[in-house]
Amino acid sequence: YRELTGAAVRNLGSLEASSKESLAKLNPQAASLISLQWIEDLEDIDKMKAVAKSSGEDPRIRTALTVKLTDALGSVYPPPLPPPAREPRNAEPQDGGDNPGTRSSAVF
């Protein structure tokens, strides 16, 4: 499926006949030629996810799959990433070494 030409992709017909493994291996250029009607007709969630992974950044396909998968899964697709861990603003240096940018309460 990685080597499919545009004409070959246009002749795939129903995506239901392809395996999820084959759909996941489509290159983004080939996946961009998938008909929106084929996506609408697709019922298998794993195959929808496979096409989503292979489709690259094509906005028309990404939008169709995001809407369809969100409806099918009952939650946002793709799931949001967790926020990055942040250190507290007033955190003390861990090494205990000298930090020229901090004040010291030591009296000399």
Side-chain angles (χ1 to χ4, degrees):
Y1 272 63
R2 272 205 193 283
E3 304 300 323
L4 285 180
T5 64
V9 172
R10 284 189 215 99
N11 289 320
L12 278 177
S14 171
L15 298 178
E16 289 290 348
S18 300
S19 71
K20 66 181 178 185
E21 293 80 14
S22 297
L23 293 172
K25 291 179 182 177
L26 283 171
N27 67 52
Q29 293 81 11
S32 71
L33 298 172
I34 290 174
S35 161
L36 291 179
Q37 185 60 52
W38 297 344
I39 292 172
E40 283 300 316
D41 294 342
L42 197 56
E43 297 295 327
D44 186 306
I45 290 175
D46 290 330
K47 289 181 181 182
M48 285 186 246
K49 288 180 181 180
V51 173
K53 289 177 183 174
S54 67
S55 66
E57 298 178 7
D58 184 312
R60 127 193 116 80
I61 291 179
R62 299 299 289 172
T63 300
L65 285 166
T66 298
V67 168
K68 189 159 175 100
L69 279 164
T70 298
D71 289 346
L73 296 172
S75 61
V76 176
Y77 183 87
L81 296 173
R86 295 172 40 166
E87 292 185 28
R89 289 181 178 226
N90 298 332
E92 293 292 324
Q94 296 294 330
D95 62 17
D98 294 333
N99 186 345
T102 61
R103 291 183 161 179
S104 173
S105 60
V107 178
F108 296 126

